[in-house]
């Protein structure tokens, strides 16, 4: 079953920033089933993760479907850091971040997180710069 793709901003608006961050930390990049409102119970995974009030809000909008829990701002920056700074493979990043490889690819295809700053310019080695001018 294909999961509905929703944005982090949509989740944060619906259940609040702190619960959206918690949900992202625990399940970001993976599918989560949101039962219909009448099927919510104290042992339902979404209720355990975010509490009954937030789970009811999610169920009102997404009940009866799987959602791809979006990566929060911190997790997106960490994916970029692992790839750019540490040169990790997609599979290793997915294992570390507890998400799917598809999520890692999608994250890296999107905009660079603001928290990482601009990409450092690549400087030419001095010898090549001298040769190019001569």
């Amino acid at each position: 079953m294909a999961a509905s793709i929703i944005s982090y901003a949509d989740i944060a608006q619906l259940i609040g920033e702190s619960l959206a961050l918690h949900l992202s930390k625990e399940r970001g990049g993976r599918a989560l089933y949101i039962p219909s409102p009448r099927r919510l119970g104290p042992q339902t995974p979404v209720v355990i993760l975010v509490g009954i009030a937030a789970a009811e809000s999610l169920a009102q909008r997404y009940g009866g479907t799987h959602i791809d829990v979006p990566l929060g701002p911190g997790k997106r920056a960490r994916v970029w850091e692992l790839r750019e700074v540490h040169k990790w493979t997609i599979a290793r990043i997915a294992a570390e971040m507890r998400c799917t490889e598809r999520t890692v690819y999608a994250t890296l295809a999107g905009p660079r997180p603001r928290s990482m700053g601009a990409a450092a310019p690549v400087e030419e080695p001095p010898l090549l710069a001298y040769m190019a001018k001569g």
Side-chain angles (χ1 to χ4, degrees), residues 73 76-77 80 111-118:
R76 286 182 22 80
W80 276 79
R112 180 186 183 91
R114 282 181 261 169
S115 62
M116 289 193 65

Side-chain angles (χ1 to χ4, degrees), residues 121-134:
V122 177
E123 297 181 20
E124 294 180 23
L127 181 59
L128 290 178
Y130 177 76
M131 291 173 63
K133 292 179 182 175

Side-chain angles (χ1 to χ4, degrees), residues 34-83:
I34 308 296
S36 64
R38 69 179 190 278
R39 294 194 176 266
L40 286 176
Q43 297 303 311
T44 307
V46 69
V47 172
I48 293 169
L49 283 167
V50 298
I52 191 67
E56 286 173 347
S57 295
L58 289 169
Q60 289 297 325
R61 178 151 324 147
Y62 304 108
T65 65
H66 285 84
I67 62 169
D68 279 337
V69 178
L71 294 178
K75 284 186 95 171
R76 286 182 22 80
R78 181 74 175 141
V79 167
W80 276 79
E81 174 191 350
L82 292 174
R83 185 65 173 176

Side-chain angles (χ1 to χ4, degrees), residues 89-128:
T89 65
I90 300 298
R92 186 172 176 194
I93 294 168
E96 172 73 14
M97 301 303 296
R98 297 181 0 197
C99 66
T100 64
E101 289 182 21
R102 185 181 103 192
T103 298
V104 174
Y105 280 114
T107 299
L108 295 172
R112 180 186 183 91
R114 282 181 261 169
S115 62
M116 289 193 65
V122 177
E123 297 181 20
E124 294 180 23
L127 181 59
L128 290 178

